[in-house]
Amino acid sequence: MAVVSKNHPVPDLVRIRRALLSVSDKSGLVEFARGLAATGVELVSTGGTRTALEKAGLAVRDVSELTSFPEIMDGRVKTLHPGVHGGLLAIRDDPEHRAAMEEHAIADIDLAVVNLYPFEQTVAGGADPATIVENIDIGGPAMIRASAKNHAYVTAVTDPEDYARVLEALGTHDGSVPLALRRELAALAFARTAAYDAAVSGWFAGELGLDAPRHRTFGGRLLDVMRYGENPHQAAAFYATGANRPGVATATLLQGKQLSYNNINDTDAAFELVSEFDPAAAVCAIIKHANPCGVAAGESLVEAYRKALECDQTSAFGGIIALNRPLDAETATEIVKLFTEVIIAPDASEEARQIVSAKKNLRLMTTGALADPRQPGLTVKTVAGGLLVQGRDNGIVLPEDFKVVTKRAPDARELADLAFAFRVAKHVKSNAIVYALNGATVGIGAGQMSRVDSARIAARKAIDAAEVLGLETPLTKGSVVASDAFFPFADGLLSAIEAGATAVIQPGGSMRDQDVIDAADQAGVAMVFTGMRHFRH
């Protein structure tokens, strides 16, 4: 049997006679309070919550009747009082606790219905620091933690989603809540305050420019439970952090079945990639296993899609398609010809939605906007016993920042393709090699232990694509090539030149940079350095 402190047995059923309601999110509040009142529960409330209940015609006592002290300091101080916390924390079966309650006229509080000031939403909405600080809740977390700690006797409810469960329990158990539900709600309560504190501390770290605060915490709200993770034997769930960044976590799923763990991972990679590009030019990215198998820009989305598909039609089967413009009917008609898992775009026309609806399992997601590639943020990776935390790779190099290091400078067409290829390479797993021609990838090598192997694989894929397209010459002939990091030796560059590349973009910074530059000069190839690396592991 579960025990409370001082070894008092924990009762299975606790009758709810008095409830304290103090909520910021008032969705479902009145209906829940009516249900409580119908079972004979006395309602006690604060500020705006009390006003809402009274307007609904419910009898409610003000919390000041329990504390014999009014709300002060603009409501900052109203529940931080022994009259409240004694009623939440008292061990009902302990004679000393009971005597203290009687001596100080402290009433039992059996149910605490508390949710918190909307701190995360206030930050996401871009409020000023003073407003954000005012939305740091103090009394709410204190009441939640007190009631959850004393779940032996108190039911803690922090989410409107749980109102129906509590009312059902009261109806089933003659006005009482069973221990199993009280424990579950207590666990939810502590998780909520932990996530809330994580949001507050994370905001402070950002405001102070602390890249490595002494303690780092993260929190999230459950969006979905996956059928499984990367593999069927792995459990998985999807959480939202509350960050206001357009993408897979904030998108609207217009149609299609539940996204899998791998779908979500790939869709995120796809949308972050197309968000790199100004929608003045239509861009399409096709992703498979978090790597692009084709990316292209065009005058229209359908042109961009067709060009992206030509890069690697085999890998595109069963992939994720991301667009940097609203999905239109012509593009939708082309996409549904190929088996695709997910389409994600800022929006979709009604006609496009109707076309996609013919494929019942095809997920269509809209985000409302593109993600800002320059926006700061954090990425987190778990390692055994720890977390690796770093800033999001929001680095962007513009053509005016390129440094020409060879005797020949790239021409205008090469320069545009170099900029395009390097942005794509940023989203390819290292070691990354990307061949591009006329605003489209024509060969991609990803995730190899050797950069020269990535160059060869990308060239081989271009040969395969040429055979599928019925071309006599691979599209790498006359293309440019991008590398996410420097060429440590000239061999990788020589492989790219052999494949037909006429211009190269790379970060530079190798001890053998001059050897690589000399090899480019000898072949008459133009090369630019960016000074910025884009490893992606």
Side-chain angles (χ1 to χ4, degrees), residues 380-420:
V380 185
K381 180 179 180 180
T382 60
V383 295
L387 299 171
L388 277 173
V389 182
Q390 65 173 348
R392 178 188 292 116
D393 184 358
N394 61 351
I396 292 177
V397 182
L398 301 174
E400 52 264 33
D401 301 319
F402 296 169
K403 178 183 177 182
V404 178
V405 295
T406 49
K407 295 176 182 177
R408 184 174 82 80
D411 61 30
R413 193 275 303 171
E414 288 173 327
L415 192 64
D417 279 341
L418 288 170
F420 174 85

Side-chain angles (χ1 to χ4, degrees), residues 328-367:
D328 57 70
E330 187 179 9
T331 309
T333 300
E334 285 297 304
I335 289 175
V336 297
K337 294 177 182 178
L338 179 75
F339 170 58
T340 300
E341 291 278 4
V342 181
I343 304 171
I344 186 168
D347 204 348
S349 71
E350 285 300 323
E351 191 177 357
R353 297 182 191 197
Q354 288 296 319
I355 293 167
V356 175
S357 69
K359 301 289 185 178
K360 299 299 182 184
N361 290 331
L362 172 56
R363 295 92 159 181
L364 175 59
M365 306 183 77
T366 57
T367 63

